[in-house]
Structure formats: structure tokens, C-alpha cells
Amino acid sequence: MPFKNLIFLIDKMIPLKIFNVEQIRKLDNYTIEYEPIESIDLMERASIAFVKWFTRNFDSEYKVRIFAGLGNNGGDGLSIARLLAEQNYKIEVFVIWYSESTSNDFKVNYDRLPLTIFKKDIRIINEIPKTETDTEENTIIIDAILGSGLSREPDGLILDTIEHINQTGFPIVSVDIASGLFADKKTSHKSVVTPDYTIFFQIPKLAFFLPENSKYVGDWHSVNIGLSSEYISQENTDKYLIDEDYIKRIYKKREKFSHKGTYGKSLLVVGSFGKIGAAVLAAKGCLRSGVGLLTVQVPDCGVEILQTSVPEAMVVSGKSKKVLEFIDWKKLLPDSIGIGPGIGKDKKTFTTLKKILKEFNKPMVIDADAINLISENSELLKLIPANSILTPHLKEFERLTGIVKDDFQRIEKLISFSKGQKVFTILKGRYTAIATPEGNVFFNPTGNPGMATGGSGDVLTGILTSLLAQSYSPFDASILGVYLHGFAGDLAAKDLGEESLLASDITLYLGKAFLSIKSKY
């Protein structure tokens, strides 16, 4: 299903902002000063929001074991413990006493714990936690040891506690961020809680979207705690999370008296011998996304296949039976061109790509072997029309820009490449990242592991090419196209299962994806 709206914003014309740790700290302080609200009351608001999520997902049959640090994350944990106890959950609280100092809000919430309810169930931990109930069923752990303000690798008692939590085998829910995980820089150590769920307070962290942190995040969910919408609107960032509200803003509703000419002409330059399936998938993705007219250029061996499997598309070819060769595409007057899926790297194909790049003066969609040819022939980089859309997967991106050390460096290279080449670069994967020529990055929340199958990227090329033909800007086409692609995959996986998902299923569910967006329009 599509990603639900995370927070309320005054300005719905931009997606959800992702802030760094310092910006989140300033946001908290701004809210406290200008709402105004006491910091302890903002903590209580956050804890109430967490508990509402928790009680919707775990009933009071669970025994809840809460590990609390001595800072504000620990204060959240103590407040959560009190609120859950008031709702008749059986609670154990373990306070990890790793320092002589605590935060003020931790002290307040520690004093608020109702000893009449907890009795002996508040335990001060000065060594590796050992309990008599490690084998007890229906136990869930809440991790509230360290928050997003983490500045160094956990050690000592905190490290021991993190290792203990991970070894229990119980479900784990982290408060705001997993203890030990850096929010906006690489986490080189492994001293991190591995939660099943992370429930964050309104503003997501960059670390959530990077593959190397997958086991340190689990399934993440936002809870709204009423942080200042004024600050959020005014504070600058270069990283965003696409949300449903923004998709509804950029989606174009069809006019009653429109016709096929209204929705543009696309040309897909795709396929080679043995890879005509890529052409079929791209064509179906293009047509299912609403283009008015589609022409598909394939080698001669693909003509009959395309005419049979995609009768709605027109097909052209050169004399070659196996590889693409240049034809006078300008007679077709396309509004958009998509090139790359299944084309191979033959010399004739290289010539075709080079001439199209030189002669087509509009943004185009470049994928797969077209990207590989560009990687191997640097002179082609200079020919790419400004604001074109490139759609590499991780390995294709590395061929373009070189190998990177980690996912954080990859994001920086993504930004640098897109700014330098003045293109949109869609780095495909979970939370597909879309970098713009201005140097911003937008993460997409839709999609699932079932889409990790051959042909999914070909479908995306078709979708993007279609949206460009329909006069969506390259930016809007990138955002909407990636979201729709993932959303259709989510709908397909819900009915068919992730393991059985085929790329062709994505094309079949595009209609339902559009209908869902329209129903909320």
C-alpha cells in the first residue's frame, strides 16, 4: 500500500523534509520556545504518540521489558513505561546506569514512575543484564537507551546491554532510533540494537534509507508529536521523503475533451536478439501510464513479437535482425524518448545511441545498456540533453561514477553527478533515491523486495517516458513515475506475494495505482 502521510505541514507543495541531528535538535528547541511548551511536556506528548502506536499493534498479553538510558531517550522510555502500566501492561524497567549524570527530563520521569504499580520491576543495571525470564514467551523489548544525539561508539555497560538485547530473540521496538545507530553518518561499529520496528518522532533520519543500515532499522513508522510546522517549512534541507500528499499535488487529472494527441508521443528504443522481452515490458509500462501514442524501435527480430504482444504500439525497425541500428526517428516527431532496456552494446547500437543523444534536444530517459555504453565512452556524457532522466541500479551507477566506500558516500556521489551533468539520476533500489540537477535527493517509500526481479527497471523506463510525453516536467515525472512503479509493485505483491511477483505484474497493477491516487485527488 502507499506510504501514509507522516506529518502535517503548512506547505504541502514539497515532500517531507529529512533533517540532520542538529536540525532536529533546533526543531525541538524552537517548538519548546515558540509553542510554547515545556520540554518535559513535549516528551510526554511524544511518549503518548508512541504508546498509541504500540497499543494498536501489541495487546496487553505481552510482557514489556523497557531498557532506558540516562538521557532524553531514556526519559521517553520511562514515560512510555508509566503510560503502558496505566493501561494494564505488565512492565519491567531496566535503567542502564552508565554515568553519574542524567538529563533533567529523565529525572522528572524517573520520579513519576508509580512505585505502587512497578514495585520491584524497576531495576538499576550496573552490569550485563541477566533476568530470570529470558525464555518467557510473549515478551517484547522497548529500546530507549540512546537517541539520535549519539556522538561516539557505545562501549562498556551500554555495549553489553545492546548485545544482551539482540541475543534475547524477543521482538524489539526502538524509540526514535535504534541505540547505537548514527542518524546522519556512517555507523562503522556493530554495537547497534537490531530492532524489528523503529518508531520515530515525526522527522525521519537519513540512516533509515540506506541499505547498510537495514538490520538496524526494521520496519519504521512515524508518530506525529506536533513539532513546529513553521520551523519545518522554513528550514532548508537537500533531502526529502516523497509522501502521498505531494503525489496528489503533481498528478494531472485528465480533461473531459482530451484526445490521444493531448497525451503525447513516445518513442522507445529498446531490445536486441534474446532481449525483446525488455522491449515488451517497457512498452507495456509506457502504455499503462497513459501515453497517447507509442512507437517502439526494435531490431527486425522483435517486430512480430511486439505486434503480437503489444498491439496498441506501433513498431519500426532497421535492416538488422539482431541489434538496433539508426533510423530516421525524427519523422516520428516524438515528445519523449526512452532508450536502453535490452539494447546490448554492439557498435551499431553505440552509433544509434550517439546520434539520438546528439539530435534529440529534449530531456530523455536513459537506462540499462545505454548507461553502460555511456560509462564506457565518456564522450557520450557531454551529449546527454539537460534534465534527462538516468535510471541506474547500483552496479550501473558505480560504472558511471566509480566504486564507493559506503552508502553515505554513494548519496554524495549521486548528488555530485546529477549537479555536474545537469540530469536527474534515479538510483534504483529499496527507497529509490532521485537526485536533481539542483543537488537535492528525494527518497521513494513505495516498493518491495518482490520487485527485485528481471524486467522491473524496463517497466520503470516505460513509465517515465510516458510521463514526459504527457508534459510532466522531468522532476515531476521522476517523482511520480518512481512512486507509481513501487506502488503498483506493492499492490501486486499484496495479491500475489513477493516471491511470485513478475515485472509484467507491475504493468497490470499500474491502473489500480492510478485509481488509488485519483480517489484521494
Side-chain angles (χ1 to χ4, degrees):
M1 295 301 292
F3 193 72
K4 299 300 182 184
N5 183 29
L6 292 178
I7 65 171
F8 60 88
L9 291 175
I10 290 175
D11 185 358
K12 291 292 187 180
M13 291 305 293
I14 58 172
L16 177 63
K17 293 180 176 180
I18 299 170
F19 290 152
N20 61 35
V21 171
E22 180 63 17
Q23 288 174 310
I24 293 172
R25 184 187 64 80
K26 289 179 178 178
L27 170 58
D28 289 344
N29 291 339
Y30 189 96
T31 303
I32 290 166
E33 181 176 358
Y34 290 101
E35 184 169 335
I37 185 174
E38 295 292 330
S39 62
I40 188 64
D41 294 327
L42 183 60
M43 181 176 287
E44 186 77 358
R45 185 190 291 174
S47 300
I48 290 171
F50 179 97
V51 167
K52 285 181 179 178
W53 179 91
F54 189 91
T55 56
R56 286 196 304 267
N57 289 275
F58 302 100
D59 60 37
S60 57
E61 294 299 314
Y62 279 92
K63 182 174 183 178
V64 182
R65 190 177 295 174
I66 298 175
F67 289 85
L70 303 179
N72 283 350
N73 196 247
D76 291 326
L78 298 182
S79 178
I80 289 165
R82 170 172 45 80
L83 294 168
L84 287 174
E86 291 171 357
Q87 298 194 42
N88 299 316
Y89 284 78
K90 187 176 181 182
I91 304 293
E92 287 182 311
V93 177
F94 297 86
V95 178
I96 315 305
W97 212 270
Y98 54 83
S99 172
E100 293 303 314
S101 61
T102 69
S103 74
N104 291 332
D105 289 343
F106 171 91
K107 291 178 182 178
V108 172
N109 272 315
Y110 186 84
D111 292 339
R112 285 179 175 179
L113 287 175
L115 298 181
T116 54
I117 296 176
F118 285 92
K119 297 181 180 178
K120 296 180 181 180
D121 290 327
I122 303 174
R123 308 185 188 185
I124 304 300
I125 301 298
N126 295 299
E127 60 181 3
I128 300 174
K130 295 178 181 178
T131 71
E132 304 80 19
T133 56
D134 278 351
T135 59
E136 184 175 335
E137 295 182 357
N138 290 335
T139 297
I140 188 165
I141 289 175
I142 293 178
D143 156 40
I145 305 172
L146 303 170
S148 61
L150 179 70
S151 59
R152 62 186 178 90
E153 178 180 346
D155 57 14
L157 182 59
I158 296 176
L159 171 60
D160 293 339
T161 305
I162 288 173
E163 291 178 347
H164 166 79
I165 290 172
N166 289 340
Q167 291 168 4
T168 63
F170 296 140
I172 303 168
V173 183
S174 287
V175 178
D176 199 40
I177 190 170
S179 293
L181 179 64
F182 290 117
D184 50 21
K185 65 180 181 180
K186 181 175 177 59
T187 303
S188 299
H189 60 268
K190 297 182 180 179
S191 309
V192 186
V193 169
T194 55
D196 297 276
Y197 304 93
T198 296
I199 311 306
F200 65 87
F201 298 137
Q202 198 159 326
I203 301 297
K205 285 72 174 171
L206 176 59
F208 294 172
F209 307 105
L210 305 183
E212 65 188 45
N213 293 326
S214 177
K215 67 179 180 179
Y216 304 136
V217 181
D219 292 333
W220 48 265
H221 302 270
S222 171
V223 291
N224 186 352
I225 64 171
L227 294 172
S228 171
S229 56
E230 180 180 11
Y231 179 97
I232 293 170
S233 294
Q234 294 177 359
E235 181 69 8
N236 293 323
T237 182
D238 60 357
K239 297 177 180 68
Y240 301 83
L241 176 63
I242 301 167
D243 67 355
E244 195 174 87
D245 280 330
Y246 188 70
I247 293 300
K248 289 186 289 185
R249 290 279 185 177
I250 63 177
Y251 166 72
K252 295 181 180 181
K253 190 175 181 180
R254 294 202 160 198
E255 297 296 331
K256 185 179 294 185
F257 291 102
S258 57
H259 51 83
K260 63 185 178 184
T262 307
Y263 303 109
K265 298 178 182 179
S266 286
L267 170 64
L268 288 172
V269 184
V270 286
S272 60
F273 182 77
K275 297 179 181 178
I276 299 303
V280 173
L281 290 167
K284 288 185 175 181
C286 191
L287 288 164
R288 290 283 184 184
S289 301
V291 71
L293 289 167
L294 171 63
T295 300
V296 185
Q297 180 190 340
V298 291
D300 192 56
C301 64
V303 174
E304 186 174 345
I305 297 170
L306 263 294
Q307 297 277 240
T308 303
S309 58
V310 194
E312 298 88 353
M314 296 175 286
V315 185
V316 295
S317 71
K319 296 178 181 179
S320 174
K321 290 187 177 295
K322 293 188 176 182
V323 298
L324 283 167
E325 59 182 355
F326 188 75
I327 63 170
D328 190 2
W329 58 268
K330 288 181 281 189
K331 293 180 180 179
L332 303 172
L333 299 175
D335 298 297
S336 67
I337 292 179
I339 187 168
I343 63 175
K345 297 190 292 181
D346 185 86
K347 288 183 179 180
K348 289 183 178 179
T349 302
F350 168 81
T351 301
T352 298
L353 172 62
K354 185 174 182 178
K355 287 185 73 67
I356 291 176
L357 289 175
K358 287 178 70 173
E359 296 178 5
F360 192 66
N361 58 3
K362 300 178 184 178
M364 57 190 294
V365 182
I366 302 170
D367 183 32
D369 279 329
I371 292 175
N372 292 329
L373 284 167
I374 291 169
S375 300
E376 296 172 6
N377 301 274
S378 59
E379 74 270 22
L380 296 181
L381 270 174
K382 301 175 184 178
L383 302 179
I384 298 174
N387 296 312
S388 288
I389 303 171
L390 279 67
T391 61
H393 56 56
L394 292 179
K395 288 297 182 182
E396 289 166 348
F397 183 68
E398 284 190 353
R399 292 179 196 128
L400 274 175
T401 64
I403 296 173
V404 297
K405 295 184 299 183
D406 56 64
D407 292 332
F408 285 89
Q409 186 186 62
R410 182 178 288 109
I411 292 298
E412 294 310 310
K413 276 205 171 188
L414 183 67
I415 293 170
S416 176
F417 177 82
S418 297
K419 288 178 68 176
Q421 297 300 321
K422 296 181 173 56
V423 296
F424 293 85
T425 310
I426 296 174
L427 184 58
K428 296 181 289 193
R430 187 66 179 104
Y431 308 121
T432 288
I434 304 164
T436 73
E438 295 75 31
N440 296 316
V441 177
F442 298 79
F443 292 94
N444 177 59
T446 60
N448 63 84
M451 298 173 71
T453 184
S456 291
D458 305 329
V459 175
L460 177 61
T461 294
I463 294 170
L464 296 167
T465 306
S466 175
L467 295 175
L468 283 181
Q470 295 173 64
S471 297
Y472 282 93
S473 70
F475 174 78
D476 286 349
S478 297
I479 299 292
L480 179 59
V482 169
Y483 185 94
L484 279 169
H485 180 252
F487 187 14
D490 289 342
L491 293 170
K494 183 179 179 182
D495 286 350
L496 306 173
E498 292 179 354
E499 293 78 6
S500 297
L501 186 63
L502 300 176
S504 55
D505 297 325
I506 300 172
T507 67
L508 295 176
Y509 280 81
L510 278 169
K512 287 188 175 181
F514 273 108
L515 284 172
S516 180
I517 293 171
K518 288 175 67 176
S519 70
K520 301 176 178 67
Y521 193 78

